[in-house]
Amino acid sequence: MNKEPLEEKEILKNLAKYKIKDSDYSHGRILGSMCTKADPLAKKVFHDFLDANLGDPGLFKGTQFLEEEVIRDIGSFLSLNNPYGNIVTGGTEANLMAMRAARNLAKNEKNIINSEVIIPKSAHFSFKKAEDMLNLKLIEIDLDENYKVNIDSVEENLSQNTVAIVGVAGTTELGMIDPIEDLSKIAIDNEVYLHVDAAFGGFSIPFLNDIGYKLPNFDFSLEGVSSITVDPHKMGLAPIPSGGILFREKKYLDVMAVESPYLTSKEQCTIVGTRLGAPAVATWAIMKHMGRKGYCELADECMINTRFLADALKKEGFELVTSPELNIVAFNHPKIATDDLAQILEDNGWMVSSSSYPKAIRIVLMGHINHSHLIEFLATLREIKNSLNIN
């Protein structure tokens, strides 16, 4: 650490050298991220509320009110009028909270000690963190031919130690929506907690259905759904970190509560203690700014680009892993190894990612990607084929 203080000008000059090394969403070349450029209004609001600590909410009653309102607003498009929950750091913390609630509830009500959680093979890696941190045993279920959780296998793997079932509405790798309605029936019949990880799909599926898409139901209108993860910092355009966790009943928060005697709130349910209020307020602001209409337009625009890219790739001789359900396209070329293609694309300035099951190039069509970016991307793919003498 420097001994003498540095002037602001010198600090900013040094930072600029590192900032320039970062990728920029506005360039349209970040093709593998589920996050995107935050709305300018949300950024301004975030800055204005940097000092607010929701870990001590009695000191920041205005911020606390806004968090409660934004949870209600999210609940309004997830079919729950009176949800309970929080704006947290992201989908990982939200999923950890859900698993902790399910584990604690099963221990209190059923005396289950050796807790097992049934998850699809497509579940986010945050559940592996939950397994480690919460002393859970994950039962990983194979996927069907459409890369969705196999319902028969879920039923076969239920046991007296099952404390939760997890379904995904917008899988991280392919954007697929599990048959949550079927999982809900299983959860009801077996009196098991059902958590839906809609970190990606939660801010798009409801709005796409508003404008005529017929995507599967996944929300609290299904009686068996106990909690839902939804990330405003993905399709919601809120700044990072802005995750969300919503519970059907207050009891799920109560079973996680620990005493916090020296704070203005005498109990805490979230995983972190000191909790930045800025993400909650920025989420509130961008949701008011966008409105349901704005989110419908954003989701539709992303799907229009998704369909365009999927059709264009097929015409260029690439093979789609599956027909896109949300705004993710996964593809391969029969004559180019996936890892090789990913590296060549990166060498050409395109930041793509690869799915693991199945192995494929994975493109997430977020709002920062427009039609002209896709035309440029397709031109690069043609150049790659020509350089490798592939038709």
Side-chain angles (χ1 to χ4, degrees), residues 289-300:
H289 183 59
M290 291 287 288
R292 200 152 184 143
K293 180 182 178 182
Y295 282 123
C296 287
E297 292 172 351
L298 172 63
D300 190 33

Side-chain angles (χ1 to χ4, degrees), residues 204-214 292-293 295-301 303:
S204 60
I205 298 170
F207 306 115
L208 289 171
N209 284 335
D210 274 359
I211 56 178
Y213 288 74
K214 299 186 183 300
R292 200 152 184 143
K293 180 182 178 182
Y295 282 123
C296 287
E297 292 172 351
L298 172 63
D300 190 33
E301 181 180 332
M303 288 305 297

Side-chain angles (χ1 to χ4, degrees), residues 1-171:
M1 183 176 182
N2 49 289
K3 183 176 180 181
E4 298 297 329
L6 289 181
E7 294 293 331
E8 178 180 325
K9 182 178 179 180
E10 183 67 18
I11 291 171
L12 295 177
K13 180 181 177 182
N14 287 337
L15 286 175
K17 293 187 296 186
Y18 296 99
K19 175 67 174 175
I20 200 170
K21 297 178 183 292
D22 289 352
S23 298
D24 190 329
Y25 287 114
S26 63
H27 294 164
R29 287 180 166 258
I30 300 178
L31 299 181
S33 174
M34 284 183 160
C35 293
T36 189
K37 189 177 180 65
D39 183 88
L41 171 63
K43 287 183 177 182
K44 180 181 184 305
V45 172
F46 191 98
H47 177 269
D48 289 345
F49 283 80
L50 270 176
D51 294 331
N53 174 18
L54 281 172
D56 204 355
L59 301 180
F60 304 95
K61 293 180 180 179
T63 302
Q64 181 187 29
F65 173 84
L66 292 170
E67 181 187 35
E68 292 169 352
E69 183 162 286
V70 81
I71 291 297
R72 285 194 297 272
D73 282 351
I74 294 173
S76 72
F77 60 78
L78 296 180
S79 303
L80 189 60
N81 292 328
N82 189 30
Y84 300 88
N86 298 100
I87 297 299
V88 293
T89 55
T92 292
E93 185 180 355
N95 288 336
L96 286 169
M97 285 182 66
M99 294 301 95
R100 184 166 172 245
R103 183 201 65 177
N104 290 3
L105 194 72
K107 182 178 180 179
N108 291 353
E109 295 185 353
K110 300 179 181 179
N111 198 33
I112 297 177
I113 305 300
N114 300 313
S115 304
E116 296 180 357
V117 176
I118 293 176
I119 67 168
K121 190 172 183 177
S122 56
H124 188 258
F125 59 77
S126 56
F127 292 98
K128 296 187 184 300
K129 295 182 180 181
E131 179 181 38
D132 180 44
M133 296 171 69
L134 301 175
N135 194 30
L136 304 173
K137 179 180 179 181
L138 295 185
I139 308 298
E140 198 171 65
I141 303 299
D142 286 334
L143 308 181
D144 63 18
E145 66 278 7
N146 296 312
Y147 301 101
K148 302 182 180 186
V149 67
N150 186 301
I151 293 297
D152 291 338
S153 187
V154 170
E155 293 184 299
E156 291 167 3
N157 281 278
L158 286 166
S159 77
Q160 61 182 7
N161 290 323
T162 303
V163 300
I165 300 169
V166 173
V168 188
T171 56

Side-chain angles (χ1 to χ4, degrees), residues 297-339:
E297 292 172 351
L298 172 63
D300 190 33
E301 181 180 332
C302 290
M303 288 305 297
I304 289 170
N305 284 335
T306 298
R307 290 194 297 268
F308 168 77
L309 178 61
D311 291 342
L313 286 169
K314 286 188 286 186
K315 292 175 183 177
E316 293 289 341
F318 293 89
E319 299 173 347
L320 300 185
V321 168
T322 185
S323 178
E325 197 162 26
L326 293 177
N327 46 315
I328 296 180
V329 176
F331 68 94
N332 286 305
H333 193 283
K335 297 182 180 179
I336 313 174
T338 301
D339 288 338

